[in-house]
Amino acid sequence: MRLVCISDTHSMHRQVAVPDGDVLIHAGDCLGVGTLEELEDLDNWFSEQPHRHKILIAGNHDWCLQDEPADAEALIRNAIYLRDRSINIEGVKFWGSPWTPIFFDWAFNLERGTAIAERWAQIPSDTDVLITHGPPAGILDQVNESLAVGCGDLAWELERLTLKLHIFGHIHESYGQQTLNDCRYINASTCTGQYKPLNPPIVVDI
């Protein structure tokens, strides 16, 4: 199964050259200012992509999915929207969640500690591919050499899981891949730190 991973397109999805594959995964911050109109355009774009399956989670910029969930989710007709839930595709179990540790006053933010840990505790133990908007602490989570902002509660929860792949974004400056304990971690941020959609989609076969 070929997965094509993107994240943090911030409504610039039409500027991204997306390669073919079996599953197109968007790990959040799909919108610019977070409107329903932006989400409808994204869904139309999904309909134009050749992938047999598309998966979308929300991120901290995707306000309509937090504040108007019924109206927003009704607009998603051409992708599978995961918010703290799983989907099984051809024997591979995907689980997706939008939450990130609180940072100023963005969407889908929770306090570090009990509040966000309760979300991560919901991840099924038989998950193969985890999709979160933000990274775990210590893995592709550095804004710069002295500032790393990943979620420690997520990192702790990963210790009980046997993942094949963990896909996220959020920290544009840490785009790339890392393998640790037989799990491949992918920061698929499409936008650079300057909010330019220059990072190519990351393709992985599982």
Side-chain angles (χ1 to χ4, degrees):
M1 179 184 290
R2 174 157 290 182
L3 310 183
V4 180
C5 309
I6 60 175
S7 186
D8 297 81
T9 54
H10 295 282
S11 283
M12 291 178 276
H13 42 271
R14 295 187 183 277
Q15 300 180 44
V16 182
V18 181
D20 198 2
D22 300 303
V23 186
L24 174 60
I25 297 172
H26 197 308
D29 275 4
C30 56
L31 308 181
V33 295
T35 66
L36 292 171
E37 290 77 14
E38 288 177 326
L39 183 60
E40 186 170 25
D41 180 68
L42 176 75
D43 188 71
N44 289 335
W45 177 80
F46 273 131
S47 74
E48 300 164 5
Q49 305 310 306
H51 312 77
R52 289 182 291 123
H53 307 280
K54 296 108 175 179
I55 295 175
L56 172 69
I57 69 166
N60 56 290
H61 281 257
D62 302 332
W63 285 102
C64 63
L65 284 160
Q66 173 184 277
D67 296 343
E68 306 168 83
D71 290 340
E73 292 178 30
L75 292 174
I76 305 172
R77 299 177 295 269
N78 295 292
I80 300 161
Y81 177 62
L82 298 182
R83 177 174 171 173
D84 301 320
R85 70 181 186 94
S86 296
I87 186 72
N88 191 299
I89 298 176
E90 299 175 12
V92 178
K93 188 169 186 176
F94 298 80
W95 193 88
S97 181
W99 306 100
T100 48
I102 198 163
F103 178 73
F104 293 109
D105 188 23
W106 291 100
F108 295 106
N109 275 195
L110 289 171
E111 293 282 355
R112 294 177 187 267
T114 301
I116 201 164
E118 288 177 348
R119 302 289 179 171
W120 308 139
Q122 298 174 23
I123 303 171
S125 58
D126 60 346
T127 299
D128 297 304
V129 179
L130 177 63
I131 310 163
T132 59
H133 180 54
I139 300 177
L140 301 171
D141 69 335
Q142 289 190 279
V143 178
N144 55 47
E145 290 184 1
S146 60
L147 182 61
V149 296
C151 182
D153 299 288
L154 177 56
W156 184 85
E157 200 67 39
L158 294 179
E159 294 182 8
R160 72 172 173 85
L161 303 172
T162 307
L163 300 173
K164 296 178 180 177
L165 192 63
H166 184 187
I167 303 162
F168 48 87
H170 189 44
I171 308 304
H172 300 185
E173 296 84 354
S174 283
Y175 165 84
Q177 304 181 56
Q178 180 179 340
T179 300
L180 184 65
N181 298 327
D182 297 323
C183 177
R184 182 180 296 190
Y185 296 87
I186 293 177
N187 181 327
S189 294
T190 299
C191 280
T192 65
Q194 292 73 44
Y195 281 79
K196 303 293 184 182
L198 301 178
N199 294 329
I202 294 177
V203 180
V204 58
D205 294 320
I206 62 169

